Amino acid sequence: MGSGQKRSVDPLRIQIGGIAGRQKQPLNRVRTTKYTWLTFLPFNFYEQFRRAVYFYFLIITIVSFFVNETISPYVSLLPLLFVMIITALKEGLEDLSRSKSDRLVNTARVTVIRNGKEEVIDSQFIVPGDLVVVRNDGDLPCDLVLLQSSGAERKCFVTTANLDGETNLKTVCVPPNYELSPKSQDFIVCEAPTADLYSFNGRLELGTDGAGGGGGDHALPLTIDNLLLRGVRVKATDRVVGCALYTGMHTKLQLNSRYTGNKSASSEKYINRFMVALILGMVVVVLVLYLIERHKETKVVPNMPYLGPPTDFNSALQIFEDFLSFLLLFNYMVPISAYMNIELYRIFGMYFMHNDLHLYDEETDQPCRVNASNLNEELGQVNILFSDKTGTLTKNLMKFVDCYVSDMNFHLQSTYLLCETTGEQIDLEKLDAEASVFFEALTVCHTVEVLQEVGVKPLESSESVSERSHLMGKSIVDRYQASSPDEMALLEGCANLGLVYQGQSNNTLRICRYPSAEELQFERLHVLEFSSERKRMSVILRDRSGTIWLYCKGAEDAIFPRCKTSHRLQQTDDQITKYAQRGLRTLAVARRTLTEEKWANFEELYRRANTQLSNRNELITECYETVEIDLDLLGATALEDALQEQVGETLEALQAAGLKIWVLTGDKVETAYNIGLACRHIPPGSRQHFIVNVTDPEELQTRLQEIEAADPEVLVVDGTTISTLLTHAPRQFADLALHCRAVLCCRLSPLQKSEIVTLVKRRKKHITAAIGDGANDVSMIQEAHIGIGIAGREGKQAARCADFAIARFEMLRRLLLVHGHYNSQRLAFLVLFYCYKNIIITGCMALFQVYDLFSATNVYNSLYLWLFDFVYISFSFTYLSFSDKEYSEETLLSHPELYKRIAHNRQASMRVFCLWMLNGFVQCFTIFYFTYAVLNDENVLFNMGQPASFQTFGTMLITIIVIVGNLKLLLVARYMSYVNFAMIPAQIVAFMLTTYLYNLVTSGELYDVYNQFLTSLPLWLFTVVCSAACLLPDFAVKAVQDMFRKMPPAGKPAV
């Protein structure tokens, strides 16, 4: 135990460019296949036999080879082999495709530096410590620490679209003050590989001999900013050199690719319930028939000497054999081939969604993607929807519209500010000193980079004003690369006013003020990174006078507690509340000065924290807290984020369909609330209740009881209160919230989103779905029963990790109301019809036992049992289950309340199952006794005067079963196409053709039986009358149902 754990947490120690020990290092070989040529059959069959039904049929098949010849072993063996071969073939082809993809990746040619010389090798032969060369537009073959770059400031731009789908460029830096030398013996010490794409801890030990040594004063910290991940692409940089760190299956990309969903649909419950009911029914039938057989063996058989000498029916072997004979005879009642048809249905359902043009976004070339087809039918069972706000309900296209500074509110109008109080239009030059500082803070407190084209030198400060003006208006702003749309919007707004961020060189930020062309320069000393827990970011700068400033911006609840007490705090807070009431996103901005001593203390504290391999993030956060205090509040900004198209109509339709919608967001309460009103998540005039900033458990309990007594419709809660609720009153909160039509949870962290989903998911009667577009939504999406990702502006990581991926929120309406409805309804029909048809065919077997002394004799020829599932009836009803639809797509969209009719799998309840089984019993009684009546009194039915044989009796039964089973589809179908109509007679003809051909085989049991059947007029008349007698009750029931069926009122066509 101890050793295993130790290996997982021990840090790695890798010599840069080292040759010693290379033989022992793991290669960069990627393997995503599940099997090898040797392990495919045993492993695949093992996986399949883990299904209880498959294992049951395996045991039955084995037993059938040793028990009497009641029924051919091939009746069990052939369907089992067919289903297993199809499943194995499907998985084998998928694995072969993965193997070919692996081969392409592993044999890609890459350049490495070994012994001071560049070599070109296959990617799979890279080992940790190798120096890998990557050029512009090249993909990274493994995880590298960047050690050399031809880019300005020794930086390198990369795009991470293959990792998380984000298309904006990101910056990776060479460790500060490090120069790569072929003669140095430097080591990288880092944490073991993890799947976290956004975290990396390590240090670069300079000039050590590798004997141990902890790095001390000769160590440089390594962070995620120094790491180039496998799968990213180098952009706008001619050449980079990195040291291979994590290779092969240990790269962060591969560790993330190993995620596989382990979700199962609620339909599995009713399928298992039906299977258990059939198995129990089979056991009861077998037990009753066996006991009757025991009675016959004792009382009747001794009086029939022509049957031969009686067997020793009391011997244990005979008892066991007799019981198993009945079990083998009726094992057909459990439909193993149903699982194959269910998989086919899911594949077709995935195909329909992927090719639905209404779910295709032409702008992004994004179709609907299905990552978990086993959840197709679950789309029709959702009753709780969790949704992110930013980028999901809104577009995440920010525009800087308002700001509050110098105790006044300003509205940005193109190149000037409009004062709300006086109505005066103010240029940047006319602002007072405090307002100027505020806008300067916005242009320096960020992490935006200005992209330089490869081979183009950055502009020098001596260029002409006209060139600068041109770049300000077009080039520079267009080349901003921001990780946050908020920062991009703020810089674009400042540029429109005339304060343009022009980039940085040697950690010097350059800002130009127009029209005077005055240039401001700041030395950037440190960036205190933003995180969802901190809700703020800061920069430490030195201005031209040598003064050190800390600028900070973030959520007001993270900034205000760190500001000095002043009247401006309350005034700014009031204005932020007004912004939020208009649905605007808000940020507070503040600053402070640092003395040289405080800066030196911070730098030393940060250096120590940043070289630790354990608890690094916690230590860095503590370090940040020492300087982000005693801030002077400068003002606040307001950004507008437009709603997605059709978001209001979509939410209204989903609420009408019976879904309760929870919006989980990190925004301020007022902002989220007003967005909720604007997008109709919160119905106007509804009974609304707020629980905000309540942390006392007793007060919270009292508040929950008060709200519950008031019969709430809308509940609004903030993150602070959620923390207390999840700790002290999770059940009461869930009970209250689940009674509301809409719930809005604000100021949440990603972890809190996931915890809320988990809380509701534990209430077994609810099926949850979660939809989001950002990496911060992944935990919520993966936790819900169904995860739906939007390939949005925050990247595609949510879409990659989700069960279903769409391009826009409005498509969710069609995904649930149309595809969810159809998939849920079709699977229920598929499973119920499978059980029904098996009841008919095995029911006739059971009734025949009454007339064969309960001898476990099979009434059908083995050919009929072999082909019944795959030729006689399977294609017609399987195709119908793929295409049937009770309502048109337009009706489902315009009448979302129809979604409620399929909720909680009502169409596959035990009541519906029992009605189908009852129908099957009635029809099998009708078929058997009609046939028995025809043959009992006068069985001379053939033209030449011959009596009917035993094989004729079985043929008569199976003929009616095939005809009734196929024609019943005409009565239960709600949508019939020409293909449906063609397949029904085609299946009947297929039965007649196969039976006729087999009847020509002279050595077969059916020799000449079907020839006589086809030439007998009484048997044709029997076929017509018996089929009509079976279907007449069904026709009458359907006619009555159609008379009283409630059709939805005619409505407007869905948008």
Side-chain angles (χ1 to χ4, degrees):
M1 170 184 160
S3 61
Q5 287 184 344
K6 185 176 180 181
R7 277 194 300 271
S8 64
V9 298
D10 279 351
L12 303 180
R13 187 177 181 81
I14 299 168
Q15 183 178 0
I16 297 175
I19 301 175
R22 181 170 288 160
Q23 302 292 334
K24 302 177 182 178
Q25 297 285 4
L27 294 176
N28 191 40
R29 186 173 293 124
V30 173
R31 179 174 178 267
T32 60
T33 56
K34 293 173 61 177
Y35 311 105
T36 64
W37 290 106
L38 293 177
T39 63
F40 174 68
L41 284 178
F43 280 18
N44 183 265
F45 279 18
Y46 169 74
E47 289 293 327
Q48 293 196 57
F49 283 128
R50 290 177 66 184
R51 272 186 170 175
V53 174
Y54 283 28
F55 187 72
Y56 163 79
F57 265 84
L58 175 66
I59 298 300
I60 290 295
T61 302
I62 293 173
V63 169
S64 66
F65 279 95
F66 302 100
V67 181
N68 64 30
E69 298 181 358
T70 299
I71 190 169
S72 171
Y74 296 103
V75 173
S76 300
L77 179 62
L78 291 181
L80 178 64
L81 281 179
F82 183 78
V83 172
M84 293 188 63
I85 288 172
I86 291 296
T87 304
L89 187 63
K90 171 178 169 286
E91 294 218 4
L93 291 174
E94 290 177 352
D95 216 47
L96 182 62
S97 175
R98 287 191 288 265
S99 176
K100 291 179 179 178
S101 176
D102 291 345
R103 195 177 302 116
L104 288 175
V105 171
N106 292 330
T107 57
R109 305 294 283 173
V110 296
T111 303
V112 297
I113 300 176
R114 290 178 175 175
N115 301 318
K117 298 180 180 179
E118 289 192 1
E119 301 178 16
V120 178
I121 62 173
D122 284 351
S123 171
Q124 61 185 330
F125 298 123
I126 297 174
V127 297
D130 273 337
L131 293 174
V132 181
V133 180
V134 183
R135 301 192 180 277
N136 188 47
D137 284 330
D139 292 328
L140 273 296
C142 60
D143 292 349
L144 310 173
V145 172
L146 181 62
L147 299 179
Q148 192 177 82
S149 173
S150 63
E153 309 293 323
R154 302 199 308 162
K155 293 180 179 179
C156 149
F157 290 105
V158 297
T159 177
T160 59
N162 290 334
L163 269 178
D164 56 17
E166 297 184 12
T167 55
N168 57 296
L169 297 188
K170 297 178 176 61
T171 306
V172 181
C173 313
V174 175
N177 305 317
Y178 180 76
E179 293 293 339
L180 179 62
S181 170
K183 297 182 180 180
S184 65
Q185 293 188 355
D186 302 332
F187 283 80
I188 293 175
V189 181
C190 64
E191 61 189 3
T194 66
D196 190 347
L197 297 173
Y198 307 103
S199 173
F200 171 70
N201 295 322
R203 63 174 177 262
L204 201 162
E205 298 181 353
L206 305 177
T208 60
D209 58 5
D217 294 334
H218 298 285
L220 299 175
L222 297 176
T223 68
I224 193 66
D225 293 331
N226 310 120
L227 191 65
L228 291 166
L229 299 180
R230 173 189 176 90
V232 307
R233 177 169 294 178
V234 175
K235 287 286 187 182
T237 311
D238 284 325
R239 182 179 186 269
V240 299
V241 178
C243 176
L245 198 64
Y246 304 135
T247 56
M249 301 305 293
H250 301 294
T251 62
K252 289 181 179 287
L253 174 64
Q254 291 304 128
L255 293 176
N256 275 274
S257 299
R258 288 181 178 180
Y259 169 79
T260 53
N262 193 27
K263 300 177 181 180
S264 60
S266 59
S267 60
E268 296 288 343
K269 295 181 181 178
Y270 72 72
I271 293 174
N272 292 335
R273 193 161 57 240
F274 294 168
M275 294 301 168
V276 169
L278 290 175
I279 291 173
L280 290 177
M282 179 186 67
V283 171
V284 170
V285 170
V286 167
L287 187 60
V288 169
L289 292 176
Y290 170 71
L291 293 175
I292 296 176
E293 186 217 18
R294 294 275 298 169
H295 172 74
K296 295 291 184 181
E297 290 275 3
T298 307
K299 303 297 183 183
V300 179
V301 173
N303 298 324
M304 298 179 175
Y306 54 83
L307 294 178
T311 58
D312 184 9
F313 55 83
N314 285 321
S315 70
L317 180 62
Q318 188 64 40
I319 293 173
F320 184 68
E321 183 177 339
D322 289 346
F323 185 82
L324 286 180
S325 296
F326 280 112
L327 196 63
L328 291 172
L329 183 65
F330 293 104
N331 80 85
Y332 206 82
M333 190 180 292
V334 182
I336 185 175
S337 56
Y339 286 94
M340 181 190 68
N341 284 39
I342 289 171
E343 292 303 319
L344 286 175
Y345 137 81
R346 286 171 171 162
I347 291 172
F348 272 86
M350 177 175 65
Y351 173 81
F352 292 150
M353 284 185 275
H354 181 77
N355 290 277
D356 187 345
L357 293 179
H358 293 93
L359 297 181
Y360 172 74
D361 183 57
E362 189 174 359
E363 181 182 351
T364 59
D365 191 27
Q366 174 76 31
C368 174
R369 194 171 71 246
V370 180
N371 299 327
S373 61
N374 63 310
L375 298 178
N376 289 355
E377 62 273 13
E378 201 76 340
L379 292 170
Q381 302 301 316
V382 177
N383 46 39
I384 302 289
L385 175 67
F386 298 98
S387 175
D388 177 42
K389 184 187 75 67
T390 305
T392 304
L393 302 181
T394 60
K395 292 182 177 180
N396 203 21
L397 281 174
M398 303 300 174
K399 182 181 179 182
F400 188 8
V401 292
D402 282 294
C403 62
Y404 183 78
V405 62
S406 300
D407 300 329
M408 289 187 292
N409 181 51
F410 295 96
H411 180 69
L412 273 72
Q413 292 190 344
S414 186
T415 59
Y416 59 85
L417 296 168
L418 178 65
C419 180
E420 184 183 65
T421 306
T422 64
E424 181 183 2
Q425 293 182 355
I426 304 175
D427 294 329
L428 187 67
E429 295 293 317
K430 298 178 181 178
L431 290 175
D432 58 28
E434 188 175 351
S436 296
V437 169
F438 171 78
F439 284 102
E440 287 175 8
L442 297 180
T443 55
V444 296
C445 188
H446 56 79
T447 56
V448 174
E449 297 283 349
V450 179
L451 178 64
Q452 299 291 341
E453 298 295 334
V454 176
V456 177
K457 294 182 179 181
L459 293 167
E460 300 297 333
S461 58
S462 59
E463 293 186 30
S464 68
V465 174
S466 61
E467 280 185 301
R468 293 178 183 277
S469 301
H470 174 72
L471 290 172
M472 178 196 74
K474 296 182 180 179
S475 183
I476 284 190
V477 174
D478 290 341
R479 289 189 283 119
Y480 283 165
Q481 292 295 325
S483 58
S484 163
D486 300 59
E487 291 189 339
M488 177 73 83
L490 291 173
L491 284 184
E492 287 180 354
C494 291
N496 289 334
L497 292 174
L499 198 61
V500 182
Y501 169 65
Q502 293 193 309
Q504 64 157 325
S505 57
N506 298 320
N507 281 326
T508 299
L509 305 182
R510 294 186 291 112
I511 295 124
C512 192
R513 183 188 291 269
Y514 292 93
S516 63
E518 176 190 359
E519 184 171 270
L520 307 176
Q521 291 189 355
F522 297 86
E523 180 187 359
R524 184 156 68 187
L525 303 176
H526 195 86
V527 177
L528 286 66
E529 297 287 351
F530 172 86
S531 71
S532 57
E533 291 78 20
R534 281 167 36 80
K535 298 182 183 179
R536 64 188 183 278
M537 66 86 61
S538 302
V539 294
I540 300 177
L541 309 171
R542 192 194 303 272
D543 64 16
R544 284 180 171 176
S545 65
T547 305
I548 299 176
W549 296 95
L550 181 143
Y551 289 92
C552 186
K553 76 169 188 289
E556 73 282 351
D557 60 348
I559 300 295
F560 287 175
R562 291 167 174 78
C563 290
K564 298 176 183 176
T565 304
S566 70
H567 71 283
R568 179 165 295 172
L569 279 176
Q570 186 58 49
Q571 292 175 351
T572 306
D573 189 41
D574 292 341
Q575 185 61 46
I576 285 178
T577 301
K578 293 178 181 178
Y579 289 152
Q581 289 171 351
R582 292 164 49 195
L584 302 178
R585 289 168 61 91
T586 58
L587 291 172
V589 183
R591 74 169 182 173
R592 65 164 293 188
T593 59
L594 294 177
T595 63
E596 291 289 347
E597 182 182 0
K598 288 181 179 179
W599 160 241
N601 290 338
F602 168 81
E603 193 175 26
E604 176 61 21
L605 195 62
Y606 179 81
R607 187 190 67 80
R608 291 179 181 176
N610 206 27
T611 54
Q612 300 300 313
L613 295 185
S614 59
N615 300 321
R616 177 184 289 188
N617 291 336
E618 291 80 359
L619 293 172
I620 289 176
T621 300
E622 293 175 5
C623 175
Y624 287 170
E625 293 287 346
T626 63
V627 291
E628 290 178 326
I629 55 175
D630 296 330
L631 302 175
D632 295 314
L633 184 63
L634 296 177
T637 64
L639 293 88
E640 182 180 55
D641 190 3
L643 291 177
Q644 295 273 11
E645 291 85 357
Q646 298 290 320
V647 66
E649 291 81 354
T650 301
L651 289 175
E652 281 187 336
L654 295 179
Q655 288 173 333
L659 276 71
K660 295 180 178 178
I661 300 174
W662 297 39
V663 173
L664 312 181
T665 179
D667 274 348
K668 186 177 172 66
V669 172
E670 290 80 2
T671 302
Y673 175 75
N674 285 282
I675 290 291
L677 288 174
C679 69
R680 305 177 209 171
H681 168 234
I682 300 175
S686 56
R687 294 182 296 275
Q688 303 166 11
H689 294 270
F690 293 75
I691 312 178
V692 180
N693 293 327
V694 181
T695 56
D696 180 64
E698 293 183 3
E699 182 184 351
L700 203 53
Q701 290 281 3
T702 303
R703 185 80 180 106
L704 290 175
Q705 293 171 4
E706 291 174 353
I707 295 175
E708 187 174 5
D711 190 22
E713 292 181 306
V714 176
L715 183 64
V716 181
V717 193
D718 71 327
T720 304
T721 308
I722 285 290
S723 298
T724 309
L725 284 170
L726 294 176
T727 304
H728 298 285
R731 181 176 292 274
Q732 296 91 319
F733 167 62
D735 289 339
L736 175 62
L738 288 171
H739 280 93
C740 299
R741 292 176 57 188
V743 178
L744 178 61
C745 300
C746 313
R747 287 301 192 207
L748 298 184
S749 67
L751 179 60
Q752 286 178 316
K753 292 183 179 183
S754 176
E755 289 174 341
I756 291 174
V757 175
T758 304
L759 177 66
V760 177
K761 188 179 174 184
R762 287 174 181 166
R763 318 303 287 267
K764 301 297 184 182
K765 59 183 179 181
H766 295 289
I767 302 297
T768 62
I771 182 169
D773 73 318
N776 61 329
D777 301 317
V778 168
S779 58
M780 172 180 75
I781 287 171
Q782 292 181 343
E783 182 61 33
H785 290 100
I786 303 173
I788 303 169
I790 295 179
R793 296 182 176 275
E794 292 188 23
K796 293 185 180 178
Q797 189 172 353
R800 293 175 188 275
C801 297
D803 304 308
F804 301 88
I806 54 180
R808 299 191 306 275
F809 182 82
E810 63 176 309
M811 295 178 178
L812 181 64
R813 180 181 181 183
R814 184 177 181 85
L815 186 68
L816 297 183
L817 301 188
V818 176
H819 291 283
H821 191 111
Y822 287 160
N823 282 315
S824 189
Q825 168 194 306
R826 289 167 178 172
L827 179 65
F829 168 74
L830 177 67
V831 175
L832 288 168
F833 197 89
Y834 237 110
C835 297
Y836 153 81
K837 72 178 183 61
N838 282 29
I839 284 294
I840 294 181
I841 195 169
T842 53
C844 291
M845 288 186 195
L847 293 173
F848 181 69
Q849 302 308 304
V850 177
Y851 303 97
D852 71 348
L853 283 178
F854 299 91
S855 60
T857 301
N858 179 23
V859 70
Y860 307 111
N861 187 279
S862 294
L863 173 75
Y864 299 145
L865 295 180
W866 295 343
L867 299 181
F868 181 71
D869 254 347
F870 304 108
V871 177
Y872 298 166
I873 195 171
S874 182
F875 287 103
S876 56
F877 89 83
T878 301
Y879 183 82
L880 180 62
S881 68
F882 294 166
S883 59
D884 195 27
K885 52 177 77 172
E886 184 174 7
Y887 303 104
S888 67
E889 298 170 13
E890 294 76 15
T891 301
L892 291 175
L893 289 172
S894 58
H895 297 282
E897 63 276 4
L898 295 174
Y899 189 83
K900 297 178 183 178
R901 298 187 183 182
I902 61 170
H904 306 292
N905 289 308
R906 289 191 181 96
Q907 74 282 15
S909 64
M910 284 304 295
R911 174 181 169 275
V912 176
F913 173 75
C914 291
L915 288 175
W916 274 87
M917 296 306 97
L918 178 62
N919 184 236
F921 286 132
V922 169
Q923 290 187 348
C924 80
F925 269 90
T926 304
I927 293 169
F928 183 85
Y929 282 106
F930 253 87
T931 309
Y932 179 79
V934 169
L935 298 181
N936 185 43
D937 294 331
E938 181 60 64
N939 65 354
V940 179
L941 302 173
F942 299 127
N943 292 341
M944 303 301 293
Q946 306 98 322
S949 66
F950 172 68
Q951 291 294 336
T952 302
F953 182 59
T955 301
M956 292 169 67
L957 290 175
I958 196 68
T959 300
I960 303 301
I961 291 172
V962 171
I963 292 174
V964 168
N966 278 284
L967 292 182
K968 184 177 175 64
L969 296 175
L970 295 174
L971 298 177
V972 298
R974 287 153 291 200
Y975 174 83
M976 291 291 290
S977 65
Y978 290 115
V979 177
N980 292 118
F981 279 114
M983 291 191 77
I984 290 174
Q987 293 267 262
I988 298 174
V989 170
F991 158 72
M992 297 175 67
L993 181 62
T994 55
T995 306
Y996 174 75
L997 293 175
Y998 185 60
N999 127 110
L1000 298 178
V1001 179
T1002 56
S1003 60
E1005 295 176 340
L1006 283 179
Y1007 177 65
D1008 203 39
V1009 169
Y1010 206 53
N1011 285 338
Q1012 297 179 27
F1013 184 99
L1014 293 175
T1015 59
S1016 171
L1017 183 61
L1019 288 184
W1020 279 103
L1021 182 61
F1022 154 78
T1023 301
V1024 173
V1025 173
C1026 186
S1027 300
C1030 286
L1031 295 173
L1032 189 60
D1034 289 34
F1035 180 79
V1037 170
K1038 178 176 174 58
V1040 173
Q1041 287 179 339
D1042 287 347
M1043 287 172 59
F1044 295 97
R1045 184 185 180 197
K1046 295 181 180 179
M1047 292 297 293
K1052 296 180 180 179
V1055 178

